[in-house]
Amino acid sequence: MIRYTSLASSSVYGNSYLVEGPDGTRLLVDYGARQRRMLADLQGLDVDPASIAAILLTHEHSDHTYCLGLRRPAVAAYGTRLLAHPAVLATCPAAAHYRRCAGSEGETPHHLLPGLAVQIGSLTIEPFSTPHDAVAPLGFVIRCDGVSLGIATDLGHLPDAVASKLHGCTHLILESNHDHHMELNSGRPWYLIDRVIGPDGHLSNDQAADALGHLVTGATRSVLLAHLSLDCNAPELAVATVRASVPAGHRGWQGRLMPAPAAAPSGWIS
């Protein structure tokens, strides 16, 4: 079995997701949660930071890489591997700093490339490209023994190629960033609104609902709505919008639907 938890899921408080395989292999997807809070949350989950085998980076934006650039990134003390797209490793100063702290600066970098699976312990990681205004953004499907976890946050739309990766996954972490009406009436500068709602920005609740209507099946056990805006969304609104399109029984769907807390663990989901 795979189990997972969101440690933080927000532009303000950062983004980090912890995935665990049946043999105890643990992966951290993004390292953007605030470090002191994250370490306390890991302790509450009975997870030793030294047990985290690797960090997988989706992209270089600071809400996903914040801890990499700290003077002393906590898991660097254990030599935890950093895996990212080569373009991100080549251009992200925080990633370079982390590799120095972890003592891996002189080693061959661990690359994540779309279409090239990586095996870490019991977990197989399948990276794929996502549409976002970053250097080389990635999503992941993580598999073990017939169970799959699809992770896709920070994407302005859902191309068929991404949908085909996520369709029928046992578990899904999918962005449901904003309510379109709230975003348009937020009073934010137009360039920011245009970025968020654009094809390389972030999925709205309506977009997430439409996508999930095609992605979930009777095999889907959980959906975690991620990266909710604190200003232009609300957890109950995101859930209600998705439920309207994906009610219980839709295509055999009987799984759990939850919003990821902005700055606290979601608890283990399995």
Side-chain angles (χ1 to χ4, degrees):
M1 296 292 293
I2 291 175
R3 65 176 182 168
Y4 69 98
T5 178
S6 170
L7 299 174
S9 188
S10 161
S11 294
V12 175
Y13 296 106
N15 296 273
S16 296
Y17 308 93
L18 183 67
V19 184
E20 182 181 273
D23 64 345
T25 298
R26 288 170 174 154
L27 305 176
L28 196 61
V29 178
D30 288 335
Y31 197 20
R34 296 304 178 258
Q35 184 159 275
R36 183 177 297 178
R37 179 184 290 114
M38 184 180 72
L39 292 175
D41 291 339
L42 289 175
Q43 184 177 24
L45 293 165
D46 197 27
V47 172
D48 183 349
S51 70
I52 297 173
I55 301 166
L56 313 179
L57 276 192
T58 59
H59 63 293
E60 77 280 4
H61 289 168
S62 61
D63 55 327
H64 298 258
T65 62
Y66 172 78
C67 286
L68 296 179
L70 295 178
R71 183 180 178 187
R72 294 179 179 175
V75 300
Y78 311 111
T80 304
R81 291 182 288 168
L82 175 65
L83 284 71
H85 192 285
V88 172
L89 290 174
T91 59
C92 179
H97 170 75
Y98 178 87
R99 296 190 72 235
R100 288 193 295 271
C101 293
S104 58
E105 184 181 23
E107 300 176 3
T108 302
H110 297 282
H111 289 163
L112 293 172
L113 292 167
L116 185 62
V118 175
Q119 189 75 32
I120 301 179
S122 61
L123 300 175
T124 303
I125 301 104
E126 300 174 2
F128 56 87
S129 295
T130 57
H132 192 52
D133 57 353
V135 172
L138 297 173
F140 305 111
V141 174
I142 300 174
R143 301 184 189 274
C144 179
D145 295 336
V147 177
S148 54
L149 167 63
I151 304 173
T153 67
D154 295 71
L155 64 167
H157 67 287
L158 195 80
D160 290 343
V162 173
S164 68
K165 298 290 185 182
L166 300 176
H167 180 264
C169 279
T170 316
H171 306 285
L172 286 167
I173 300 176
L174 183 70
E175 174 173 69
S176 190
N177 177 258
H178 61 278
D179 173 79
H180 189 74
H181 179 76
M182 290 176 69
E183 185 70 44
L184 290 178
N185 293 276
S186 64
R188 292 173 167 180
W190 176 249
Y191 76 85
L192 179 57
I193 295 174
D194 189 49
R195 172 187 176 266
V196 169
I197 67 175
D200 293 324
H202 294 273
L203 289 184
S204 70
N205 293 340
D206 289 329
Q207 288 174 302
D210 181 66
L212 288 166
H214 300 283
L215 296 178
V216 301
T217 69
T220 309
R221 298 177 192 164
S222 72
V223 173
L224 188 70
L225 302 179
H227 213 313
L228 274 64
S229 170
L230 297 179
D231 301 321
C232 299
N233 208 351
E236 61 275 12
L237 178 57
V239 169
T241 303
V242 171
R243 282 201 190 281
S245 291
V246 193
H250 175 81
R251 302 180 67 191
W253 153 255
Q254 296 292 343
R256 299 170 62 192
L257 174 65
M258 303 148 286
S266 62
W268 286 115
I269 301 167
S270 65

